[in-house]
Amino acid sequence: PPKKDAKDDKPKKSWFGGKKKDDEKKDAEAPEQPEQPEEKKEKKSWFGGSSKKDEEEAKEKASLDLRLALAEAWAALALAEAQHATIRKACAASHIEWSLIAALCVDQRDRYSKSIAGHIDSLTKDQETKSVKEWAGKRVCVAFLKTHVAFKSAYFEGVARYCTGCANLEKAVRDTDEDACGVALADLTEAARLHREAMSSASSFVAAAKPVCYVDSPLVAIDESAALVRRALDRAQQLNNGIFHKPVPELGPLPAPKSLVTAIPYEEPAPSHLWTKAAWDAIDPDKIDAKFGPASD
């Protein structure tokens, strides 16, 4: 028998690109596929808004800025700044009460390391996003907040240790108390270490603040405070090495915290009489008259 050409094996199509009758028969014999229900598309609002799903996601994102923890964090920070003002006033007095300033600084340390830090952790946890730009921005802001809390906590604890050390150093000189000199040496050594820690955290805070906002660098103030600590520490070491020759004891506890500021609650003002029912309805999309819809409707 004559050989078939390879070209004859290919199914021929009609002039207009359609199927031949044999192909149409095969398609008719094939089982029909069940029709899939069409997905309901969510309508967008008249004003170019997004769907309900997008609105719910937007509400979740917006709620992060309106959470109660943020208002509480601002309130705690405002009280801490007010307490700082009382510390500066106490330091500027003609006669410095070391115990009072130490107690005030312990309260400041607790405010930053516990209260404000807790609010920051509550606001910044589970902040995941798919946007690289948004993720980078959140990481910078979190670093800005946490480094601020870190350097404030270390600084105020260092000042508290400096005050207790100076109080014991004065007692050692006045009463020739060798035990008080050892306690002063322990407190001032710890104060110097905390000032170095505060300086490091403050440097990180200034670096993290550059893409966020302008801040007054606290490095100069911390360096001046550290110089006072070093001067008192040198004096304590001279007394102990030259006169008392006592081993440095373990670090003792700080005084109990003392606060001179309190938050004054105020009554929430009543809504203005201008907020009538018509005014509320005017900003409610569900109650806007349909005549304001698009021209196509």
Side-chain angles (χ1 to χ4, degrees), residues 153-163 187 190-192 194-195 229:
S153 302
Y155 172 71
F156 282 111
E157 185 176 355
V159 174
R161 287 291 178 187
Y162 168 72
C163 292
D187 282 333
E190 178 66 8
L194 288 167
H195 274 73
V229 174

Side-chain angles (χ1 to χ4, degrees), residues 92-213:
S94 56
H95 177 69
I96 296 177
E97 293 288 344
W98 296 114
S99 59
L100 173 62
I101 299 175
L104 294 174
C105 288
V106 172
D107 180 73
Q108 279 291 81
R109 178 206 61 182
D110 293 344
R111 288 178 187 273
Y112 281 102
S113 63
K114 296 178 182 178
S115 176
I116 299 176
H119 289 308
I120 291 174
D121 291 338
S122 174
L123 290 166
T124 57
K125 70 178 181 180
D126 300 330
Q127 294 296 305
E128 298 180 358
T129 177
K130 296 180 180 179
S131 170
V132 176
K133 185 177 180 181
E134 187 179 354
W135 172 81
K138 286 183 178 179
R139 188 177 67 170
V140 169
C141 291
V142 170
F144 168 74
L145 295 171
K146 291 193 172 183
T147 52
H148 179 261
V149 168
F151 101 77
K152 288 276 190 176
S153 302
Y155 172 71
F156 282 111
E157 185 176 355
V159 174
R161 287 291 178 187
Y162 168 72
C163 292
T164 55
C166 287
N168 283 285
L169 184 60
E170 288 182 354
K171 182 180 180 182
V173 174
R174 182 180 63 251
D175 303 335
T176 318
D177 190 338
E178 57 185 15
D179 293 332
C181 184
V183 173
L185 193 56
D187 282 333
L188 292 171
T189 302
E190 178 66 8
R193 186 195 69 80
L194 288 167
H195 274 73
R196 290 192 296 270
E197 181 181 335
M199 182 70 75
S200 176
S201 298
S203 300
S204 301
F205 166 69
V206 173
K210 287 182 178 179
V212 179
C213 64

Side-chain angles (χ1 to χ4, degrees), residues 50-105:
S50 55
S51 61
K52 290 184 179 179
K53 183 179 180 182
D54 296 334
E55 289 176 0
E56 290 176 358
E57 293 178 356
K59 286 181 181 177
E60 291 178 359
K61 290 184 178 180
S63 64
L64 296 175
D65 296 331
L66 302 175
R67 287 175 61 180
L68 181 60
L70 183 59
E72 291 175 344
W74 280 116
L77 183 60
L79 288 174
E81 294 295 336
Q83 179 85 332
H84 193 181
T86 63
I87 294 173
R88 293 175 65 90
K89 186 176 180 180
C91 292
S94 56
H95 177 69
I96 296 177
E97 293 288 344
W98 296 114
S99 59
L100 173 62
I101 299 175
L104 294 174
C105 288

Side-chain angles (χ1 to χ4, degrees), residues 193-264:
R193 186 195 69 80
L194 288 167
H195 274 73
R196 290 192 296 270
E197 181 181 335
M199 182 70 75
S200 176
S201 298
S203 300
S204 301
F205 166 69
V206 173
K210 287 182 178 179
V212 179
C213 64
Y214 172 79
V215 294
D216 228 358
S217 176
L219 297 175
V220 175
I222 296 175
D223 188 59
E224 291 177 353
S225 180
L228 295 175
V229 174
R230 287 192 298 268
R231 190 184 306 168
L233 179 59
D234 292 342
R235 176 61 176 159
Q237 288 174 341
Q238 289 174 0
L239 285 175
N240 192 58
N241 296 335
I243 300 175
F244 300 121
H245 303 286
K246 294 287 290 184
V248 180
E250 293 184 359
L251 204 61
L254 287 168
K258 183 178 182 60
S259 175
L260 297 179
V261 294
T262 54
I264 301 175

